[in-house]
Amino acid sequence: MTPPRILALDFDGVVCDGRPEYFETAWQAYVAAWPAPALTSSRPARIAARFSALRPLIESGWEMPLLVHALLAGVGDEALKDRHAWLAAPGLMKPAGVSAETLGRALNTVRDDWFARDSAGWLAHHHFYPGVAGQIATLLGGPIEVVVVTTKAERFVRLLLTSADPRLAQVTVIGREPGKPVPKPDILRRLADRAGLGADAAGLWFVEDMLETLEATAQRPALAAARLFLADWGYNTPDDRAAVARAGRIHLLSLTTFAGPLARWGGVIV
Ligand SMILES: [Mg+2]
């Protein structure tokens, strides 16, 4: 098996579990941005637990305070499974007169303020998955370029990486850029071009925990030979993992396999 030239890794849910930070930030943003009467008289522990379990449903930051509200308002897990339905449900945002923009801005403000005030506390709300930092550090000494491709801001990712292991300062990080988000398949193709990979991106491996992102990547002819891995330890559902395990282009990867030799990852295109 030929090893990759580029190993692209998503950050949240692949390298790092940021769910404690997500919930704290989402809660504070909800309290700050939701017009009265916000349902914030208490913060039940069960809300935090459900929020973490439902994390795979979240794609954008503004959805997080809305999920907090939906949980406090008693929306059930079944209804929340269909993200397009509950996000658009007229009973949630409309009566309160809040918008996605308001919630997104509140979330970013809360995170920036927290980070500026107490970066150690902010860092402590993140946990690297066991073995991941070690595997990345080992690869950095070799011919494979490790690139973190994330929708998080680069400065946050850099600090988290170096706080986990100072050697990880060498990792290339492609984070959220100002302006319209660039889809990950576009970023991957740019990486392939920069490394001189061929028209089908053979030599590029990509580990991601969101199935939709991998499916979008699989549809790109210009990424037809990239190897795609769904991180089974990340923010995805049993249904996602079952769909991948049945066959097809996307290979299911465990944390133990990730931390071991790349030759054993599998994912050969058939
Ligand atoms: Mg992720």
Side-chain angles (χ1 to χ4, degrees), residues 10-14 16 22 55 149-151 184 208-210 234-235:
D10 174 38
F11 189 73
D12 282 292
V14 171
C16 180
Y22 275 115
R55 177 60 185 81
V149 178
T150 175
T151 52
K184 282 192 183 176
E208 162 70 52
D209 68 329
M210 187 175 281
Y235 314 151

Side-chain angles (χ1 to χ4, degrees), residues 58-81:
I58 298 291
E59 283 181 16
S60 302
W62 67 268
E63 298 166 15
M64 300 205 294
L66 186 60
L67 178 59
V68 168
H69 181 75
L71 293 174
L72 289 168
V75 179
D77 286 356
E78 265 316 300
L80 290 169
K81 261 188 182 171

Side-chain angles (χ1 to χ4, degrees), residues 47-59:
I47 298 291
R50 283 185 68 206
F51 184 92
S52 282
L54 292 164
R55 177 60 185 81
L57 298 168
I58 298 291
E59 283 181 16

Side-chain angles (χ1 to χ4, degrees), residues 82-106:
D82 183 350
R83 50 171 273 108
H84 300 291
W86 80 262
L87 284 170
L92 287 178
M93 282 207 288
K94 217 170 181 186
V98 290
S99 65
E101 291 71 29
T102 317
L103 296 179
R105 218 176 306 123

